[in-house]
C-alpha cells in the first residue's frame, strides 16, 4: 500500500493562484485613496488662495476726486505709502473681519484700507444683537477711524463693495486724516466697524496704521499701469 502522505504534504507548498478579482479591488481602493488625498490637498490650497484673495478694485488705489486733482497737480508723484499690518484680524480667535492693502497719501491726508469678512460673521453679529441681519445689506456696516489722541475721522469719501463666494469686501477711503501734525501726529490709527442700528459702540476694531517707536515701517507705493485716474 502506497503512502501518499508526502504527496499530500507537498500540495500545501504549491503557490496559490492569484485572485484577479482581489487584485482589482485593491487597485480600486488605492485609486480612491489617491483621489481623496488629491481632493483634500486641492481644497486646502483653494481655501488658502481664497483667504488671501483681493480683487483689483479692493487692493489697487482708488482715485477719488481729490486724489485725481492731486495726481494732475504733482504729475503723478502723489507720494503714496503703504505699510504691512501687524494685526490684520479684529480678533485672532474669531477673525470675523480682516483688513489689508493700507495706502496713505500724506500730501492730502487720505487713508485707504480694504476690509474682508466671511458671511459666517453674521452668526456672531446676529447672536450679539438678537437680529437677523444680512451680509449682503449695503447698509450693514459703517466705519470711522480713531487715533491715539482720541480724534475721530468720519469723512468716508469712497466705499466700494465686492463679493466672492462666502467673502464680502469693502474698499474704504477716508479724507481729512491728520497724518503729519507736528508733535501730535497719529502714533496709531484703528478702523472701527459699526453694525446697522448699533452705532453707539463699535462692534470690531482693527489696528491699520502705526507710526511709533515700536513700529513705523512704510514703503513707497508704486502705481501700476492700471492705476491711473
Amino acid at each position: 500500500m502506497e503512502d501518499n502522505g508526502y504527496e499530500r504534504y507537498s500540495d500545501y507548498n504549491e503557490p496559490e493562484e492569484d485572485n484577479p478579482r482581489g487584485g482589482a479591488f485593491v487597485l480600486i481602493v488605492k485609486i480612491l485613496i489617491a483621489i481623496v488625498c488629491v481632493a483634500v490637498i486641492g481644497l486646502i490650497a483653494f481655501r488658502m488662495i481664497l483667504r488671501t484673495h483681493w480683487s483689483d478694485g479692493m487692493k489697487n488705489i482708488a482715485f477719488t476726486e481729490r486724489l485725481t486733482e492731486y495726481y494732475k497737480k504733482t504729475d503723478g508723484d502723489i507720494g503714496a505709502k503703504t505699510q504691512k499690518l501687524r494685526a490684520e484680524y479684529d480678533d485672532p480667535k474669531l477673525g470675523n473681519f480682516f483688513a489689508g492693502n493700507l495706502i496713505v497719501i500724506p500730501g492730502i491726508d487720505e487713508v485707504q484700507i480694504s476690509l474682508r469678512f466671511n458671511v459666517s460673521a453674521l452668526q456672531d453679529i446676529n447672536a450679539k444683537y438678537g437680529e437677523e441681519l444680512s451680509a449682503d445689506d449695503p447698509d450693514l456696516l459703517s466705519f470711522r477711524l480713531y487715533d491715539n489722541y482720541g480724534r475721530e475721522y468720519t469723512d468716508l469719501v469712497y466705499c466700494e463693495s465686492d463679493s466672492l463666494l462666502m467673502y464680502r469686501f469693502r474698499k474704504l477711503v477716508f479724507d481729512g486724516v491728520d497724518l503729519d501734525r507736528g508733535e501730535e501726529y497719529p502714533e496709531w490709527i484703528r478702523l472701527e466697524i459699526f453694525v446697522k442700528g448699533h452705532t453707539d459702540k463699535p462692534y470690531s476694531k482693527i489696528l491699520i496704521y502705526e507710526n511709533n517707536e515700536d513700529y513705523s515701517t512704510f514703503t513707497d507705493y508704486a502705481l501700476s499701469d492700471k492705476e491711473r485716474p
Side-chain angles (χ1 to χ4, degrees):
M1 183 176 182
E2 294 184 5
D3 186 0
N4 295 326
Y6 178 78
E7 293 180 3
R8 289 196 299 270
Y9 176 78
S10 64
D11 290 343
Y12 291 111
N13 292 330
E14 293 181 4
E16 296 182 359
E17 294 184 2
D18 292 336
N19 187 341
R21 295 181 62 185
F25 176 77
V26 172
L27 178 62
I28 292 172
V29 170
K30 290 181 177 180
I31 292 174
L32 289 176
I33 292 174
I35 292 174
V36 171
C37 290
V38 171
V40 170
I41 294 172
L43 180 60
I44 293 173
F46 175 73
R47 290 297 300 269
M48 291 179 65
I49 292 172
L50 189 61
R51 291 185 65 180
T52 59
H53 168 80
W54 298 97
S55 66
D56 287 346
M58 294 295 110
K59 66 183 180 181
N60 290 349
I61 198 167
F63 276 93
T64 60
E65 183 176 344
R66 242 182 117 217
L67 182 55
T68 299
E69 293 177 358
Y70 189 62
Y71 180 91
K72 294 177 181 177
K73 180 181 177 180
T74 61
D75 293 326
D77 187 14
I78 59 176
K81 304 283 185 181
T82 186
Q83 181 182 67
K84 180 175 174 55
L85 276 59
R86 294 198 295 171
E88 299 164 309
Y89 285 98
D90 59 333
D91 185 295
K93 294 182 179 179
L94 294 177
N96 283 332
F97 292 93
F98 178 91
N101 308 305
L102 173 70
I103 304 172
V104 297
I105 303 97
I108 55 173
D109 294 330
E110 187 169 281
V111 172
Q112 303 194 6
I113 190 71
S114 302
L115 185 73
R116 182 180 73 223
F117 67 97
N118 194 312
V119 295
S120 63
L122 267 292
Q123 297 177 3
D124 295 324
I125 292 174
N126 287 329
K128 178 174 182 177
Y129 297 119
E131 299 188 21
E132 290 297 329
L133 300 170
S134 170
D136 294 313
D137 183 350
D139 300 320
L140 172 66
L141 305 173
S142 57
F143 311 92
R144 78 178 180 194
L145 299 182
Y146 185 94
D147 72 11
N148 59 293
Y149 290 104
R151 295 187 293 247
E152 299 175 1
Y153 306 100
T154 58
D155 191 9
L156 181 62
V157 297
Y158 181 91
C159 181
E160 180 183 349
S161 300
D162 197 1
S163 64
L164 178 64
L165 298 178
M166 76 287 290
Y167 288 112
R168 301 296 180 267
F169 304 86
R170 298 289 190 275
K171 173 75 172 184
L172 310 173
V173 180
F174 290 87
D175 270 351
V177 183
D178 297 318
L179 298 173
D180 187 5
R181 194 175 179 179
E183 296 180 356
E184 293 187 354
Y185 65 87
E187 296 182 8
W188 56 259
I189 299 174
R190 72 188 183 205
L191 173 67
E192 297 187 333
I193 305 163
F194 297 85
V195 173
K196 179 180 180 180
H198 305 275
T199 56
D200 55 327
K201 184 178 180 181
Y203 173 78
S204 285
K205 307 169 186 175
I206 305 178
L207 186 65
I208 64 164
Y209 174 98
E210 294 183 78
N211 189 14
N212 50 62
E213 293 182 357
D214 292 333
Y215 188 63
S216 60
T217 302
F218 290 88
T219 57
D220 293 333
Y221 182 86
L223 297 176
S224 67
D225 293 337
K226 298 179 180 179
E227 295 172 290
R228 296 290 185 272

